[in-house]
Amino acid sequence: MLLLTAAAGLLLASVASAQTELFHGRGQIIVLNGSSFVGVVPSRDRIGCLDDQGILTLDNCAEFSLAETSPRTFSTVSGNCTFQNKNMPANSDSAYGKDTHAWSCLAENQLVAPYENYYTVSGFKFPFICNGNLNCYYDIKGAPSLNNTRVPVWQFYWGDAQGGITPGHLQTLWLWVPVNSTKTGKS
Ligand SMILES: *[C@@H]1O[C@H](CO)[C@@H](O)[C@H](O)[C@H]1NC(C)=O
Ligand SMILES: *[C@@H]1O[C@H](CO)[C@@H](O)[C@H](O)[C@H]1NC(C)=O
Ligand SMILES: *[C@@H]1O[C@H](CO)[C@@H](O)[C@H](O)[C@H]1NC(C)=O
Ligand SMILES: *[C@@H]1O[C@H](CO)[C@@H](O)[C@H](O)[C@H]1NC(C)=O
């Protein structure tokens, strides 16, 4: 029994480091439709990817740079990425998120404390992107259906008054897909 547990622990540890080792450098952020990081299947549940301003699109996948030291933040050719830009639309349909703003990567974004720190979790099957205190889900109004549709992405907030995703919205995950290119522009 003890031996079995130790073996299982070793297996988990090696899966874990596979995900965290991928979470470096440059990559694309793919948005997956899903409310469970256990059940989501990237090849089946992809609904789009984030563009260089941090907005969800069908296929306009930007290249994001991830800071190697804490706070591990993202940037693109367009600027620093943050949920703190108050010029971005608020998630007005959400009980707990109505005063929060969509993610953006813009030249005007100066990163200030409290910093967002992005990470992945060792036990995940894929490198899903979390921030803060295990905030691993993101809230969107709906999936983009056309190439030129741009959909704002909010942090997912819940509580007693709204236990699940904002009514009518989709709960999503962000998948990190490393790219090798050394350029900083769109792929
Ligand atoms: C998202 O997933 C749900 C549950 O599996 C499904 O009913 C819905 O059609 C999906 N929506 C999109 C846009 O993929
Ligand atoms: C990103 O934020 C940092 C502060 O953390 C700032 O020094 C830098 O100029 C910002 N980058 C851009 C492109 O605005
Ligand atoms: C989106 O763009 C791709 C490639 O540029 C094209 O093949 C596809 O037909 C476009 N889809 C729509 C819905 O416009
Ligand atoms: C990306 O880098 C890995 C490891 O350095 C290499 O094996 C792989 O061939 C590269 N892929 C591309 C598309 O360049």
Side-chain angles (χ1 to χ4, degrees), residues 3-165:
L3 277 174
L4 268 179
T5 309
L10 277 176
L11 196 62
L12 261 182
S14 64
V15 169
S17 62
Q19 303 317 334
T20 49
E21 275 166 22
L22 285 173
F23 198 59
H24 288 284
R26 299 173 193 282
Q28 296 182 341
I29 298 177
I30 307 302
V31 176
L32 305 173
N33 176 25
S35 51
S36 153
F37 47 72
V38 179
V40 74
V41 178
S43 56
R44 182 192 66 197
D45 298 322
R46 181 192 194 281
I47 56 180
C49 59
L50 302 183
D51 71 8
D52 61 32
Q53 297 190 336
I55 308 292
L56 171 61
T57 63
L58 204 52
D59 224 10
N60 190 6
C61 310
E63 205 168 287
F64 291 80
S65 299
L66 177 58
E68 292 299 324
T69 57
S70 182
R72 299 195 71 196
T73 53
F74 287 110
S75 61
T76 67
V77 278
S78 294
N80 291 316
C81 303
T82 180
F83 282 106
Q84 295 185 43
N85 186 330
K86 295 190 163 46
N87 296 325
M88 295 302 291
N91 193 359
S92 50
D93 301 339
S94 165
Y96 293 97
K98 59 176 182 291
D99 295 325
T100 68
H101 297 269
W103 212 51
S104 65
C105 308
L106 296 171
E108 72 202 61
N109 289 351
Q110 296 294 310
L111 299 179
V112 292
Y115 295 105
E116 290 151 49
N117 186 52
Y118 292 86
Y119 57 92
T120 191
V121 173
S122 39
F124 284 165
K125 237 192 286 181
F126 301 97
F128 300 126
I129 304 172
C130 305
N131 69 85
N133 183 15
L134 270 181
N135 301 320
C136 309
Y137 293 108
Y138 302 88
D139 178 324
I140 61 170
K141 270 190 181 166
S145 50
L146 301 170
N147 282 348
N148 57 1
T149 311
R150 299 177 80 236
V151 176
V153 182
W154 294 285
Q155 188 72 65
F156 170 46
Y157 291 98
W158 73 99
D160 292 342
Q162 184 197 292
I165 192 66

